[in-house]
Amino acid sequence: MGRLKKLKKIRIHREGTHTLAGSLLLILAVNAGLYFGLECKIPFYVVAVISLVVYGILVNFFRCPIRLFGQENTEKIVVAPADGKIVVVEEVEETEYFHDRRIMVSIFMSLVNVHANWYPVDGTVKSVSHQNGKFMKAWLPKASTDNERSTVVIETPEGVEIMARQIAGAMARRIVTYAEPSEECYIDEHMGFIKFGSRVDVFLPLGTEVLVKLGQLTTGNQTVIAKLK
């Protein structure tokens, strides 16, 4: 199945539909109670404004823009799996799957970023695993190995294996991963979703040409972060 046929075109991410619906009902109930239950309308107006701001933040968080990478040739291309900021570009010892030295590129997502995650490469999913852990601040170095996380290993058509790791943060309490072992995956498809602030690490083979630098902002499924050998 081609990438365009498998693309899920959604404006509000499906992970947010129940949260948004429930929040809207709660907000309406609270505001209706204040409006009809109090003679003085000042508390109602104050709460109504706060409610609109909070709900607007929720809608912004769960938004899911329709994006296509835009280049037909994705051979050896690694795209950003998430919106955010590059917080790590360094050589590390990967101890959970590869057990060797890798280049790690980490993207930190703030509360205002889109939190859908995309596959960083075309290929076949080789492994999917989930590890329970802590909920430290996602930008800390040990968050990659100590926090709750979900790990997806993908083999590209050229036979190169790369790893994408979704990491929970201090506010994130749920990691959703759609990847399934042995299925084909494509740039333009959603790999998963992390709720309320988090990070995604990409582990690349040594010798990979990294095209981003510390502090650079990324756009998921748009920014090319590396080129494989």
Side-chain angles (χ1 to χ4, degrees), residues 40 56 69 107 118 136 143 179 225:
C40 177
F69 179 56
I107 300 172
W118 286 263
M136 297 186 297
I225 62 173

Side-chain angles (χ1 to χ4, degrees), residues 20-157:
L20 291 174
S23 299
L24 181 59
L25 289 175
L26 178 61
I27 287 172
L28 290 175
V30 170
N31 281 274
L34 290 174
Y35 184 82
F36 293 108
L38 297 176
E39 186 173 337
C40 177
K41 301 303 181 187
I42 293 178
F44 162 74
Y45 292 126
V46 172
V47 173
V49 171
I50 295 174
S51 298
L52 286 172
V53 172
V54 171
Y55 196 72
I57 292 173
L58 280 175
V59 172
N60 180 74
F61 176 83
F62 286 112
R63 75 194 188 280
C64 188
I66 297 173
R67 292 176 183 164
L68 294 175
F69 179 56
Q71 298 181 27
E72 187 60 33
N73 183 16
T74 56
E75 183 180 351
K76 299 183 179 181
I77 292 295
V78 183
V79 300
D83 288 15
K85 182 170 70 173
I86 301 292
V87 293
V88 176
V89 179
E90 64 181 12
E91 185 179 320
V92 300
E93 187 75 23
E94 200 292 304
T95 60
E96 293 185 9
Y97 182 85
F98 295 114
H99 302 287
D100 62 11
R101 303 291 290 179
R102 295 273 152 169
I103 298 173
M104 182 174 75
V105 179
S106 299
I107 300 172
F108 173 73
M109 294 175 284
S110 73
L111 189 62
V112 299
N113 288 128
V114 171
H115 274 60
N117 300 150
W118 286 263
Y119 287 107
V121 294
D122 292 340
T124 302
V125 177
K126 302 295 289 185
S127 172
V128 180
S129 62
H130 182 90
Q131 292 82 32
N132 294 325
K134 301 177 182 178
F135 294 96
M136 297 186 297
K137 293 177 180 177
W139 60 79
L140 295 175
K142 290 191 85 59
S144 182
T145 54
D146 290 0
N147 277 21
E148 181 164 339
R149 58 203 179 276
S150 183
T151 301
V152 179
V153 178
I154 305 164
E155 182 178 347
T156 70

